[in-house]
Amino acid sequence: CLMSSRTCVTINCDFRQCLMAVCFSESGNTTCSSTPHKVIVHFDMDCFYAQVEMIRNPTLRHVPLGVQQKYIIVTCNYVARERGVTKLMSVTDAKEKCPELVLVKGEDLTHYREMSYKVTELLVSYCPLVERLGFDENFMDITEMVERRLQQSKTCSFKGHVYSNNVSEVKAGIYPWLAIGSHIAAELREAIHSKLGLTGCAGIATNKLLAKLVSGTFKPNQQTTLLPEDVSSIMGSLTTLRKVPGIGHQTAKRLQALGVSSVKDLELFPLDPLAREFGEPSARRLKNLALGTDDSTVTPTGAPQSLSDEDSFKKMSSTKEVIEKIQELLTTVVERMHNDGRQPQTLRLTIRRYSATNKWLSRESRQSPIPNHIGQKIVHGKFDDAVGQLKPLAMKLFQKMVDTNKAFHLTLINVCFSNLQTRASASASDKNSLMSFFKQNSSPEKTKTDSPCDQVNALFSVTQQISKKETANFQPVSNLTKTENSFTVSSTGPNIESQQEEISSPEISGLSTNIDPEVLKCLPQEIQKELMSSHASTDLLHKNINNTLPEVDSQKKSTLNSLGPSVSGDLKIKNSLSSPGSSGAKIFGNVDPTVFAELPPELQKELMSEWRQDKPVSKAPSSKKPVGNVTRKDKKTSGKSRQSNNLLKYFKPQ
């Protein structure tokens, strides 16, 4: 280390990189105008689940304690570890090692989850750059905190352990940012203990990889700082590739197939064959990991992107058991989702089948959109209703993966809500939903007295509002196939695996095909019942037509009545009827003139303008040919004249 006035000295380590530049003043005191490297701290709570249980029940603090999930000890306190109990030991073996072991059921993660978020929130109150890594681990980028301390204080000694155990004032002078970082880490650990009652370890280094590796060097309730000159030493101490954070099970297997079995092998392995196997970006990343280099940043976690719950078991092989387990998991996740405050848009179901060759890693998933009205039940705390409607949706996903008519053997089921929207976004979606329009436009008193004809008029009123909002979330139905007791709707929406969902209801089997069953399901029950009576609805509609068109001659009335409500949205004829006040302008035969007269004048003019420009079709389609069987070519030809402002297209199959 060369010391002279205003001379910059560089320190080289085994990376063969310049890691720092320290400017020395004339007095010989070290100063640093900027931190040349990040200072990252990795926090790891000691036996986290056991600590949470000891906080909940202080009498467990000084007894051997194990947290049990199924037949495994997932963690234990240090009293139990001193007596031979280890993590992931079977309950039977643990009891043999320590007969006085106290076991606590840890399958309900609620308390652990809550405490985990408290730790993260506490760290965020000191610095926003905090990244969660599981329940008991957090990364924290304290670089800015270190820079402020460097400008305010002189060089200090290291707090806690240094990996090489070669601690001296000279080392603290060479690496002042790491020395100050060790003091900040100690202060944060003390804050966690004093405010939450938890102890934990910390690792202080220049990147996330090294901070995580060094944090567990001294346990429990201690911290360790890694100096740049000791990077090669800590990397060489790793016994297997799996010890390197970022190298998983499958990656390690592929590396072993190339003859790479240790960190040193990976460091010396040529880049070209590695790039042929993994691709150049991944190959360079693996080489960097072997050298202890990690350029990834600490990314603030924020709110979770998904909420899930799962359970594992030795064997599940009956549909009844699956239904019960899915209901149990849904109940938990729905309550958590309500407490979170956001609205889920997607339901994902994951299973794991038993396999003799791959017992733990063979997972399969399917997902489906969550209808808005179900999402609203979750937001508003209607747990039983939400679970009751989500359960058949989850079972449909399950049946896409598993043939329930054949024998199956499951070892895990996971239920997950993803694509979470904030309350503001969810409320915007709610405004776009059909139900919200009916809530705004109808009072309870009116709902009880309106006739089916008035309710149909309300449908047209809703289309007007949807047209004005031009909501991008509302996808017109592109195809509708009627089966014996159900309708199958093919959506033109985004690429969800289950794009074709069956809307099964014995009550809508007799519904006229010009009413979209999706819309019908969004209507209040009393309105659905009135509309279900197709003959009564037809009679009332015909009566309404006759009453509202007194000046129309009998031939035209007969023509309109023959069409009735079964006229498809694809019918492109122009009726020769004139609506009152329209100066003889022609309107479509499948539009109620009374409804048309209630539209705003500007919308009437726009529709009339388009109708005047269209050419009339000579005849209506044959009543013998169902509208649903119109060919794609016929639809394309007949639909050109009114693609933009056909209000009925939202409620009628295209």
Side-chain angles (χ1 to χ4, degrees), residues 239-365:
T239 55
T240 64
L241 290 170
R242 290 286 282 114
K243 297 288 185 179
V244 181
I247 298 182
H249 175 75
Q250 294 298 330
T251 301
K253 285 180 61 176
R254 293 169 67 183
L255 287 170
Q256 288 175 354
L258 295 175
V260 179
S261 57
S262 68
V263 176
K264 193 66 175 178
D265 291 341
L266 181 57
E267 180 182 348
L268 299 176
F269 196 77
L271 180 63
D272 289 344
L274 203 62
R276 285 194 293 270
E277 174 66 23
F278 294 96
E280 186 170 345
S282 296
R284 291 189 180 279
R285 174 179 166 275
L286 290 171
K287 294 283 286 184
N288 286 336
L289 291 177
L291 294 169
T293 304
D294 180 15
D295 296 329
S296 63
T297 59
V298 173
T299 305
T301 306
Q305 300 302 305
S306 62
L307 293 179
S308 66
D309 195 10
E310 69 179 34
D311 198 2
S312 59
F313 22 80
K314 289 185 176 180
K315 184 177 183 180
M316 182 173 288
S317 55
S318 73
T319 305
K320 181 181 178 181
E321 290 177 304
V322 171
I323 294 174
E324 292 174 352
K325 180 57 63 177
I326 286 177
Q327 179 167 350
E328 175 187 327
L329 296 174
L330 280 172
T331 301
T332 302
V333 182
V334 163
E335 185 174 353
R336 287 173 52 202
M337 192 75 256
H338 170 72
N339 295 333
D340 178 89
R342 290 173 292 171
Q343 180 175 329
Q345 304 298 307
T346 304
L347 170 67
R348 183 171 69 245
L349 183 72
T350 302
I351 63 170
R352 183 179 64 202
R353 302 175 195 257
Y354 174 80
S355 170
T357 57
N358 192 354
K359 297 182 180 180
W360 308 111
L361 300 174
S362 54
R363 292 196 177 200
E364 304 172 60
S365 298

Side-chain angles (χ1 to χ4, degrees), residues 429-609:
S429 298
D430 189 36
K431 289 179 182 178
N432 289 332
S433 71
L434 296 175
M435 187 63 71
S436 68
F437 285 119
F438 284 106
K439 287 180 181 177
Q440 293 169 6
N441 294 333
S442 61
S443 63
E445 293 79 15
K446 185 175 180 180
T447 302
K448 293 178 182 178
T449 58
D450 282 351
S451 68
C453 212
D454 293 327
Q455 303 300 345
V456 174
N457 289 344
L459 287 177
F460 293 127
S461 176
V462 173
T463 63
Q464 172 191 350
Q465 297 182 48
I466 293 177
S467 176
K468 287 182 179 180
K469 290 178 178 291
E470 296 180 350
T471 173
N473 294 332
F474 194 97
Q475 295 291 343
V477 177
S478 61
N479 194 7
L480 183 70
T481 305
K482 184 176 179 182
T483 59
E484 183 178 357
N485 285 321
S486 64
F487 288 82
T488 301
V489 179
S490 300
S491 172
T492 57
N495 55 341
I496 300 297
E497 293 183 28
S498 55
Q499 283 191 351
Q500 290 191 345
E501 297 294 341
E502 189 177 53
I503 308 165
S504 299
S505 173
E507 297 179 358
I508 67 172
S509 58
L511 184 64
S512 177
T513 56
N514 69 331
I515 297 296
D516 189 332
E518 285 281 11
V519 177
L520 182 68
K521 290 181 68 177
C522 291
L523 296 175
Q525 290 293 330
E526 59 270 23
I527 299 177
Q528 292 187 36
K529 291 178 181 178
E530 290 188 45
L531 292 177
M532 284 306 167
S533 178
S534 59
H535 294 294
S537 298
T538 303
D539 293 341
L540 285 169
L541 282 171
H542 290 184
K543 181 179 179 181
N544 183 64
I545 292 170
N546 292 329
N547 291 337
T548 55
L549 296 176
E551 73 283 0
V552 179
D553 59 47
S554 58
Q555 182 179 357
K556 293 175 182 177
K557 283 185 183 179
S558 176
T559 302
L560 185 58
N561 286 331
S562 67
L563 296 175
S566 62
V567 176
S568 165
D570 292 314
L571 184 58
K572 300 304 184 290
I573 68 164
K574 284 186 178 179
N575 204 304
S576 58
L577 301 175
S578 300
S579 72
S582 64
S583 303
K586 304 300 193 299
I587 65 173
F588 279 118
N590 61 344
V591 173
D592 190 331
T594 303
V595 176
F596 181 80
E598 293 175 358
L599 296 176
E602 59 272 13
L603 187 55
Q604 290 186 25
K605 291 179 181 178
E606 187 176 351
L607 291 173
M608 297 301 296
S609 176

Side-chain angles (χ1 to χ4, degrees), residues 614-628:
D614 294 336
K615 296 180 179 180
V617 181
S618 58
K619 62 180 181 179
S622 172
S623 59
K624 294 181 180 180
K625 185 177 181 181
V627 175

Side-chain angles (χ1 to χ4, degrees), residues 55-103:
I55 291 172
R56 295 178 63 202
N57 184 1
T59 61
L60 299 174
R61 288 188 178 277
H62 304 294
V63 300
L65 171 67
V67 179
Q68 175 185 356
Q69 290 182 356
K70 304 299 182 183
Y71 50 91
I72 295 294
I73 303 294
V74 292
T75 191
C76 56
N77 64 5
Y78 282 89
V79 178
R81 295 184 190 191
E82 291 172 358
R83 303 188 185 185
V85 182
T86 61
K87 292 192 298 184
L88 303 182
M89 179 180 283
S90 71
V91 172
T92 303
D93 292 343
K95 278 291 189 179
E96 290 179 359
K97 289 276 186 180
C98 182
E100 63 272 26
L101 180 69
V102 178
L103 296 176

